């Protein structure tokens, strides 16, 4: 596995655009997107237009000059005092007509897309499989968790390989928190394009819910918009932290395909495409409408060959990169929900057990301190000697938070400062489990 590369490195970044041919887009596509953007966003100056379509100003100027020659754009004839003496431009009647015609074919406007083939090259540059994850990195990302002995030894090779991971075990023992810790351990940044182009179609990829941009260093104070626009990388990309997509019981097979909006005639990337270069967490596997085996079957080929197959509305199918660490989390035993062929394709299976009594007490003390509840020895002994034997002394990581929240609610109701007593432990326990009984209707 290669050494982890700094995402700010020019060798890691997508090369800056020097001429229009570098975009890999046709003049017709760039022309239509520029016209639609000016029409929809009402931008006038070159710097504003360049920012809206995510192109360097020299290239934007070339497109503007082309559109003026075609009779689609005209100069407003005035300089704007507030815009560093930039000339303004507006659509001609012919430009408005062309923009409306282009919008009738696709409502997409804004950032120029990146051709899919160019994006595949960038994905290889910043592949999650090239991240070198060390023990200190993983321990640091999970330092706030009290983990079973040996768990880091199992998780480390699994996560570091960039292959699929299945975590299973009883509910409420931190599988979701561990999955989040795995994502945090990745730590570095990647470049994410606003959108992709394939076969003349534009697929929106950047999602503010999934992708977190990295703030740029403000080192261009006082510079004109023309100078500020200079960039060391392709401005159609955004520098982001490695993405995380977390789904639960709501996950359906349709979410793993392109999302086509028939009204706007635009495409949204699938969930796994948005998670490229990052982590896809499938939580609560077995709670979805589709059987777990069906969901796993959808991923078997992508996980093995590192590419996925998507389809356009026309039925045309095409390959997209599948550079994603897939983490499955379930409360079921794997043999109950998968056949052996599926299990063979999930490279790492990690069982997450509940804490022992010593670990449970550490968690309880930590949670009680955080919740502002002083520990009481008599109450703790009552909980361990009276209450837990009724459930065969099976401890779970979620119990301390649940019980402490119950105790706080009781104290608030009684008008007392936060404290624990054996009585309050018993009252809290009543809400932890529901007694088996027959309800007469």
């Amino acid at each position: 596995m290669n050494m982890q590369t700094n995402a700010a490195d020019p060798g890691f970044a997508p090369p800056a655009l020097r001429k229009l041919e570098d975009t890999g887009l046709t003049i017709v596509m760039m022309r239509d997107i520029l016209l639609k953007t000016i029409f929809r966003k009402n931008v006038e100056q070159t710097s504003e237009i360049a920012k809206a379509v995510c192109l360097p100003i020299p290239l934007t100027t070339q497109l503007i000059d082309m559109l003026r020659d075609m009779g689609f754009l005209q100069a407003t004839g005035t300089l704007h005092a507030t815009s560093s003496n930039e000339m303004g431009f507006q659509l001609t009647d012919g430009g408005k007509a062309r923009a409306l015609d282009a919008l009738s074919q696709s409502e997409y406007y804004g950032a120029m897309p990146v051709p899919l083939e160019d994006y595949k090259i960038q994905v290889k540059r910043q592949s999650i499989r090239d991240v070198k994850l060390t023990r200190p990195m993983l321990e640091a990302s999970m330092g706030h968790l009290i983990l079973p002995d040996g768990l880091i030894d199992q998780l480390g090779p699994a996560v570091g390989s960039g292959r699929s991971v299945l975590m299973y075990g009883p509910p409420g023992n931190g599988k979701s928190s561990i999955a989040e810790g795995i994502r945090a351990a990745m730590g570095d940044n990647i470049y994410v394009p606003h959108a992709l182009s394939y076969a003349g179609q534009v697929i929106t990829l950047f999602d503010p819910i999934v992708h977190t941009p990295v703030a740029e260093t403000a080192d261009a104070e006082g510079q004109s918009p023309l100078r500020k626009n200079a960039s060391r990388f392709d401005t159609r990309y955004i520098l982001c932290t490695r993405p995380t997509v977390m789904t639960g019981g709501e996950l359906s097979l349709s979410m793993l395909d392109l999302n086509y909006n028939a009204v706007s005639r635009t495409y949204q990337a699938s969930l796994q495409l948005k998670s490229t270069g990052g982590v896809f967490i499938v939580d609560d596997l077995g709670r979805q409408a589709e059987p777990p085996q069906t969901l796993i079957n959808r991923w078997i080929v992508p996980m093995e060959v590192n590419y996925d197959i998507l389809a356009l509305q026309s039925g045309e199918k095409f390959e997209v990169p599948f550079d994603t660490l897939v983490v499955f989390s379930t409360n079921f035993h794997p043999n109950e929900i998968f056949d052996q062929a599926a299990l063979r394709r999930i490279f790492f299976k990690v069982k997450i057990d509940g804490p022992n009594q010593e670990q449970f007490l550490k968690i309880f003390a930590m949670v009680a301190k955080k919740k502002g509840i002083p520990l009481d020895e008599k109450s703790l002994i009552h909980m361990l000697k009276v209450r837990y034997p009724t459930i065969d002394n099976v401890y779970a990581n979620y119990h301390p938070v649940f019980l402490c929240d119950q105790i706080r609610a009781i104290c608030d109701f009684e008008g007392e400062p936060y404290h624990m007593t054996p009585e309050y432990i018993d009252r809290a326990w009543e809400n932890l489990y529901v007694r088996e009984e027959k309800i007469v209707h």
Side-chain angles (χ1 to χ4, degrees):
M1 188 171 291
N2 300 331
M3 293 295 291
Q4 182 174 331
T5 312
N6 186 348
D9 230 321
F12 191 96
L17 301 174
R18 303 302 179 191
K19 52 187 185 294
L20 288 175
E21 291 79 6
D22 293 343
T23 64
L25 305 174
T26 65
I27 293 296
V28 172
M29 174 175 276
M30 290 190 285
R31 177 200 69 188
D32 286 352
I33 291 177
L34 194 72
L35 289 172
K36 290 189 287 184
T37 303
I38 294 174
F39 183 82
R40 285 294 192 212
K41 303 193 78 169
N42 196 29
V43 286
E44 294 183 359
Q45 293 126 44
T46 304
S47 61
E48 293 176 334
I49 298 171
K51 183 178 180 181
V53 298
C54 298
L55 286 181
I57 281 184
L59 272 61
T60 306
T61 302
Q62 290 182 46
L63 285 174
I64 289 174
D65 290 342
M66 285 184 190
L67 295 180
R68 293 180 70 184
D69 292 340
M70 295 175 185
F72 293 144
L73 271 184
Q74 63 185 10
T76 59
T78 57
L79 295 174
H80 295 259
T82 59
S83 61
S84 302
N85 298 323
E86 285 189 75
M87 180 69 75
F89 298 94
Q90 64 183 17
L91 296 175
T92 63
D93 289 342
K96 291 177 183 178
R98 178 58 213 161
L100 288 170
D101 183 55
L103 285 167
S104 69
Q105 299 173 46
S106 170
E107 278 281 345
Y108 180 83
Y109 64 90
M112 292 291 176
V114 174
L116 178 59
E117 293 305 314
D118 292 350
Y119 179 55
K120 289 178 181 178
I121 295 172
Q122 181 59 29
V123 169
K124 289 182 180 179
R125 290 193 186 106
Q126 59 194 25
S127 174
I128 194 170
R129 292 175 177 84
D130 290 340
V131 174
K132 184 179 180 182
L133 187 68
T134 62
R135 180 181 292 272
M137 292 167 62
L138 194 56
E139 289 177 343
S141 70
M142 298 186 183
H144 62 295
L145 302 175
I146 296 176
L147 303 174
D149 297 334
L151 183 59
I152 293 292
D153 297 337
Q154 289 182 283
L155 280 178
V159 177
S161 70
R163 309 297 288 269
S164 54
V165 182
L166 171 65
M167 296 189 297
Y168 66 98
N173 283 314
K175 291 185 291 296
S176 300
S177 298
I178 291 170
E180 278 294 323
I182 290 172
R183 189 219 63 80
M186 297 303 175
D188 63 339
N189 307 318
I190 62 172
Y191 289 90
V192 179
H194 286 274
L196 302 174
S197 68
Y198 176 77
Q201 302 295 322
V202 178
I203 303 166
T204 302
L205 179 61
F206 177 80
D207 185 339
I209 297 176
V210 174
H211 303 107
T212 304
V214 176
E216 295 182 8
T217 304
D219 57 359
E221 286 296 325
Q223 293 184 12
S224 71
L226 297 179
R227 291 186 177 275
K228 284 183 181 180
N229 192 259
S231 177
R232 296 187 301 272
F233 64 91
D234 189 338
T235 47
R236 295 174 295 174
Y237 289 82
I238 305 174
L239 184 62
C240 302
T241 57
R242 288 195 181 270
T244 299
V245 172
M246 176 174 275
T247 64
E250 77 283 1
L251 178 64
S252 63
L253 286 175
S254 62
M255 296 179 184
L256 306 179
D257 295 323
L258 292 180
N259 180 14
Y260 180 71
N261 187 318
V263 177
S264 63
R265 294 164 296 282
T266 56
Y267 287 94
Q268 280 276 345
S270 60
L271 286 181
Q272 71 271 27
L273 186 54
K274 291 180 181 180
S275 69
T276 299
V279 184
F280 194 125
I281 301 170
V282 183
D283 202 9
D284 283 332
L285 188 62
R287 304 294 182 191
Q288 292 77 16
E290 279 95 356
Q293 185 71 48
T294 303
L295 291 172
I296 287 291
N297 287 345
R298 174 62 179 81
W299 273 304
I300 282 179
V301 172
M303 287 191 301
E304 287 195 340
V305 299
N306 299 331
Y307 65 81
D308 195 11
I309 304 293
L310 298 177
L312 299 174
Q313 281 294 107
S314 63
E316 181 179 354
K317 296 183 179 181
F318 59 101
E319 293 181 8
V320 295
F322 189 85
D323 185 63
T324 303
L325 171 62
V326 184
V327 179
F328 301 103
S329 172
T330 181
N331 300 330
F332 296 94
H333 192 283
N335 291 339
E336 296 177 13
I337 55 178
F338 302 126
D339 60 25
Q340 291 304 308
L343 284 176
R344 178 175 61 83
R345 289 173 169 86
I346 300 176
F347 268 67
F348 296 92
K349 298 90 171 171
V350 181
K351 185 180 181 184
I352 310 295
D353 280 317
N356 57 34
Q357 188 181 92
E358 180 183 355
Q359 292 167 337
F360 170 80
L361 288 174
K362 286 182 181 178
I363 298 171
F364 195 95
M366 184 173 64
V367 172
K369 182 179 180 180
K370 184 177 180 180
K371 302 284 186 181
I373 304 174
L375 293 176
D376 175 68
E377 183 178 357
K378 186 177 180 181
S379 300
L380 292 176
I381 292 175
H382 175 77
M383 179 174 61
L384 296 177
K385 300 296 185 183
V386 176
R387 282 302 175 181
Y388 270 98
T390 64
I391 56 170
D392 299 324
N393 293 314
V394 176
Y395 303 96
N397 286 325
Y398 78 93
H399 288 174
V401 174
F402 186 94
L403 293 171
C404 286
D405 283 343
Q406 291 281 331
I407 291 172
R408 281 171 60 103
I410 294 170
C411 291
D412 287 338
F413 176 73
E414 301 293 351
E416 299 174 355
Y418 293 146
H419 69 291
M420 64 177 66
T421 67
E423 178 195 350
Y424 287 178
I425 291 289
D426 287 342
R427 288 172 65 176
W429 192 271
E430 289 299 314
N431 291 316
L432 186 59
Y433 291 102
V434 178
R435 286 178 294 181
E436 288 288 341
E437 59 181 318
K438 185 175 182 180
I439 304 296
V440 179
H441 298 281

